[in-house]
Amino acid sequence: MLTEYRTLATAYSHGQWKYASLDAGRFCEVAYSIAEGALSGTYPAVAAKPPRFPDACKALEKMTPVQLGDHSLRVLIPRVLVGMYDVRNNRNVGHIGGDVVANHMDATLAFANARWVLAEFVRIFHGTTTQDAQAAVEALVQRRVPVIWEIDGQKRVLVPTMSAADKVLLLLHGEAGWVPVKTLSDWAKYGNHSQLRTKVLGPLADAMLIELDETRDVAHISPLGIKRVESELIKPA
């Protein structure tokens, strides 16, 4: 399931809307197999698509739980999976002739639902809170950007002419959490940490593209920053 989720997330971060929606279908099949296994007490050796996916998901609601009886496993997750799968089958993603061509909106729906389903599994199987489960899922995937090269723990933006501000946004976009200013300075090869903080990070924070925590000396990309990276700095494949 983690493999399918990472594949979906990578396709989405690269702007590959069709592939993100296709990968969502594979994610649904694995998620169904896990939910059915948790309820019946017997997990399949390999995930597989049931003959009639919507009917199979609906049948989970009527199962008498043997192992886990969480309402989300029987009702909420299966209903979300049916919607995701329907987008995959009927929006010109998995088959020729769908009524709508694969697009950003559909891929966003699939990705958001996959994140929610995975977080629910984390919450149920690990007995944690919804907030902690969501944080765990966010930390699972680093957004991968083709122009970023990682070697021996260091990262480099492979566009020498790019501005320091755009380099910082790309680097933060690839991280799930807060990044120390010193680390950003090293990765961007800026040299002077203090000047990066005042001349680059400060203006980015003022523009609400990042959040800068001066007490801890760390930075985090904002939703506006993510939108700028994905609409202007990364070219969809």
Side-chain angles (χ1 to χ4, degrees):
M1 183 177 216
L2 296 180
T3 298
E4 296 301 339
Y5 177 75
R6 288 192 177 101
T7 302
L8 192 166
T10 299
Y12 182 82
S13 70
H14 287 179
Q16 298 172 326
W17 315 133
K18 179 178 179 179
Y19 293 114
S21 298
L22 279 173
D23 292 330
R26 293 170 58 88
F27 176 90
C28 287
E29 292 166 8
V30 177
Y32 166 83
S33 298
I34 292 174
E36 197 278 335
L39 292 168
S40 68
T42 303
Y43 292 93
V46 179
K49 174 186 175 295
R52 287 182 286 275
F53 193 81
D55 293 342
C57 288
K58 184 67 175 178
L60 296 183
E61 298 184 21
K62 301 177 182 179
M63 287 184 65
T64 301
V66 173
Q67 184 178 355
L68 291 173
D70 192 281
H71 178 76
S72 189
L73 279 175
R74 293 187 300 104
V75 180
L76 300 182
I77 289 175
R79 290 180 181 179
V80 169
L81 296 180
V82 169
M84 290 175 65
Y85 213 77
D86 199 45
V87 168
R88 184 262 185 199
N89 282 342
N90 295 302
R91 303 284 273 192
N92 198 17
V93 174
H95 306 285
I96 299 296
D99 54 358
V100 178
V101 176
N103 59 76
H104 177 242
M105 184 170 62
D106 290 346
T108 299
L109 172 67
F111 185 36
N113 283 345
R115 290 165 63 188
W116 180 86
V117 169
L118 185 54
E120 279 294 275
F121 278 131
V122 172
R123 178 187 67 79
I124 293 165
F125 288 106
H126 295 277
T128 187
T129 65
T130 300
Q131 291 78 9
D132 287 344
Q134 181 179 355
V137 171
E138 292 296 328
L140 284 173
V141 176
Q142 293 185 337
R143 303 179 189 92
R144 300 193 180 278
V145 180
V147 296
I148 290 182
W149 178 41
E150 184 171 358
I151 179 171
D152 296 333
Q154 292 287 325
K155 291 190 176 185
R156 295 288 183 260
V157 178
L158 302 179
V159 186
T161 57
M162 183 175 285
S163 69
D166 285 346
K167 287 182 179 180
V168 165
L169 285 176
L170 277 171
L171 291 165
L172 287 175
H173 179 273
E175 298 298 308
W178 295 89
V179 180
V181 171
K182 183 180 184 304
T183 299
L184 281 174
S185 182
D186 292 340
W187 286 351
K189 301 190 74 173
Y190 197 80
N192 190 307
H193 308 335
S194 298
Q195 288 188 13
L196 180 77
R197 188 185 302 106
T198 57
K199 294 184 177 181
V200 178
L201 300 183
L204 287 175
D206 290 341
M208 301 299 292
L209 295 172
I210 69 169
E211 180 67 21
L212 180 61
D213 187 331
E214 297 185 5
T215 301
R216 295 185 294 155
D217 206 28
V218 292
H220 195 302
I221 195 167
S222 74
L224 283 179
I226 293 173
K227 181 179 180 181
R228 169 166 163 69
V229 169
E230 295 180 354
S231 64
E232 300 180 34
L233 302 183
I234 301 176
K235 294 181 179 180

